[in-house]
């Protein structure tokens, strides 16, 4: 065998081994161009940089997509604040095959505290906090300033349901729309209850549920607004009763001994209602507009876990949620569907054509006249409207109040060493409704806070 043949086989074997090794390791993703909404910058290492005067440090950022794969592109770096003679070795850097971009930070000759910001196309900027010191060993970090006033928005979701009168009202309204053949099934049940005749009930019930299906389909095809409006009201009322929010201010004060205390003031309430088509719309109401006083809790204990989280201690907020709900139903939910109705009875009578419903029942049953069933329908609607009005009145007069405690993450968004946002907040506690209570459990009860002013 010739030397050339040996050499050829050796090269082929080496290439084969390299190919197998490459296949085993898998290909390294090549950097891709950035795409709007799918580009991110991530600091590699600590975002807090401590550096001696005159020294040099390298800061690194990764430019990547949703899957963490590298993105190709330029990353710009800029000093934020007064660097006291400090500088960056370059104003920008191009990412490598791993999506990493690096730049050297050169400290000045005096102590300084400033920031460095990295920016790239379609990505949210990221920031380092830099402290230039004289001597060795990192200085004690400056704690974030927590004291100040924050505007809170809290959202509550009573997934476990509402007890007592609240529960009665909500369940009655939802009962109008929760069965496959509602509102027909609900209306026939009410009419038979009002007629009070066993013979009529037997004649009608013998044709059910086929009768319910037939009339309900007729209502949908001929009187579509009835079906749509009742469904909209049931959904709107259910949403408003079980999913709502509070608008408030939390004023945190730092005591001389370093402890914190707050004043929590409820100023408004908002409800999420069904806007149709799977959409929800928010309705904001100021307490003053509902002839309700602002609700204040003083002396609320506040504690912090370094610069990570803040805990808002137990406190009571005796807000009349029932009064707010009644106002919401009468002034927002009903007018959105029927601008002419002033109460529940008028709303139901406006949207349900009892004459047509009575004729359909009489024709299907072959017993009794259309006017007979129409009269029962109107009486039943009046009964339902008066019942709900009475229950709403009870709700409005029921003593209610929140008992809450919560936790949130602190965030300094502009490197001024002040807490700007309270993020991912969760409440726990209860909503007292007369002698009963609805449990408010995490993570369904949430809040966010934004600093007001400086």
């Amino acid at each position: 065998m010739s030397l050339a043949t040996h050499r050829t086989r050796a090269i082929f074997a080496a290439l084969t081994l390299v190919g197998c090794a490459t296949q085993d390791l898998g290909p390294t993703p090549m950097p891709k161009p950035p795409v709007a909404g799918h580009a991110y910058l991530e600091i590699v290492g600590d975002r807090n940089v401590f550096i001696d005067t005159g020294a040099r440090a390298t800061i690194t950022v990764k430019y990547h997509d949703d899957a963490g794969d590298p993105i190709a592109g330029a990353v710009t770096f800029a000093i934020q604040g007064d660097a006291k003679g400090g500088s960056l070795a370059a104003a920008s850097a191009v990412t490598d095959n791993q999506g990493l971009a690096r730049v050297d930070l050169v400290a000045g000759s005096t102590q300084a505290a400033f920031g460095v910001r990295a920016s790239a196309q379609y990505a949210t900027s990221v920031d380092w906090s830099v402290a230039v010191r004289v001597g060795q060993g990192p200085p004690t970090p400056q704690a974030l300033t927590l004291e100040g006033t924050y505007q809170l928005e809290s959202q509550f979701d009573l997934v476990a349901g509402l007890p007592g009168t609240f529960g009665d009202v909500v369940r009655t309204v939802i009962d109008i729309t929760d069965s496959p053949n509602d509102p027909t099934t609900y209306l026939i049940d009410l009419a038979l209850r009002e007629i009070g005749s066993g013979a009529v009930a037997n004649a009608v019930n013998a044709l059910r549920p086929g009768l319910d299906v037939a009339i309900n389909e007729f209502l949908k095809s001929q009187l579509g607004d009835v079906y749509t409006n009742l469904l909209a009201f049931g959904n709107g009322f259910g949403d408003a009763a079980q999913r709502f929010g509070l608008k408030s201010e939390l004023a945190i004060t730092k005591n001389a001994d370093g402890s914190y205390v707050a004043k929590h003031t409820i100023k408004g309430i908002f409800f999420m209602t069904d806007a149709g088509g799977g959409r929800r719309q928010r309705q904001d109401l100021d307490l003053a507009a509902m002839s309700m006083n602002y609700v204040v809790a003083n002396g609320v204990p506040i504690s912090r876990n370094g610069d990570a989280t803040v805990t808002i201690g137990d406190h009571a907020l005796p807000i009349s949620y029932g009064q707010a709900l009644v106002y919401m139903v009468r002034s927002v939910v009903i007018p959105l569907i029927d601008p002419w109705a002033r109460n529940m009875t008028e709303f139901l009578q406006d949207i349900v054509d009892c004459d047509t419903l009575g004729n359909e029942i009489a024709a299907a049953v072959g017993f009794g006249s259309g006017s007979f069933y129409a009269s029962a329908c109107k009486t039943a609607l009046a009964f339902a409207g008066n019942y709900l009005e009475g229950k709403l009145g009870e709700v409005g007069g029921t003593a209610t109040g929140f008992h809450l405690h919560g936790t949130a993450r602190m965030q300094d968004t502009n490197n001024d060493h002040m807490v700007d946002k309270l993020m991912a907040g969760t409440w726990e506690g209860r909503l007292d409704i007369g002698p009963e209570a609805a449990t408010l459990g995490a993570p369904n009860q949430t809040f966010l806070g934004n600093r007001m002013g400086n």
Side-chain angles (χ1 to χ4, degrees), residues 59-141:
I59 55 177
T60 306
V61 66
K62 182 175 182 179
Y63 195 18
H64 64 87
D65 62 13
D66 302 287
D69 293 336
I71 290 178
V75 178
T76 60
F77 298 87
I79 288 176
Q80 308 292 307
D82 187 357
K84 304 289 186 183
S87 62
L88 295 169
S92 65
V94 177
T95 58
D96 60 17
N97 285 343
Q98 295 178 304
L100 300 178
R102 303 174 179 85
V103 70
D104 280 356
L105 169 67
V106 182
S109 58
T110 59
Q111 290 184 336
F114 58 94
V116 175
R117 177 167 295 171
S119 305
Q121 186 179 22
Y122 302 137
T124 301
S125 300
V126 294
D127 298 274
W128 291 265
S129 293
V130 180
V132 178
R133 64 188 186 251
V134 176
Q136 296 184 356
T140 302

Side-chain angles (χ1 to χ4, degrees), residues 9-25:
R9 289 184 175 179
I11 293 172
F12 179 80
L15 291 174
T16 301
L17 288 174
V18 171
C20 291
T22 303
Q23 186 175 17
D24 289 342
L25 293 174

Side-chain angles (χ1 to χ4, degrees), residues 271-284:
F271 297 92
M272 302 302 294
T273 59
D274 190 343
R279 297 177 295 108
R280 295 186 184 279
Q281 62 184 1
R282 172 170 161 163
Q283 304 289 342
D284 288 69

Side-chain angles (χ1 to χ4, degrees), residues 37 43 50 125 142 174 219 233 238 245-246 383 407 434 437:
I43 291 175
F50 301 101
S125 300
Q142 178 183 344
I174 293 177
L219 286 176
F233 177 76
L246 297 177
F383 169 80
T407 303

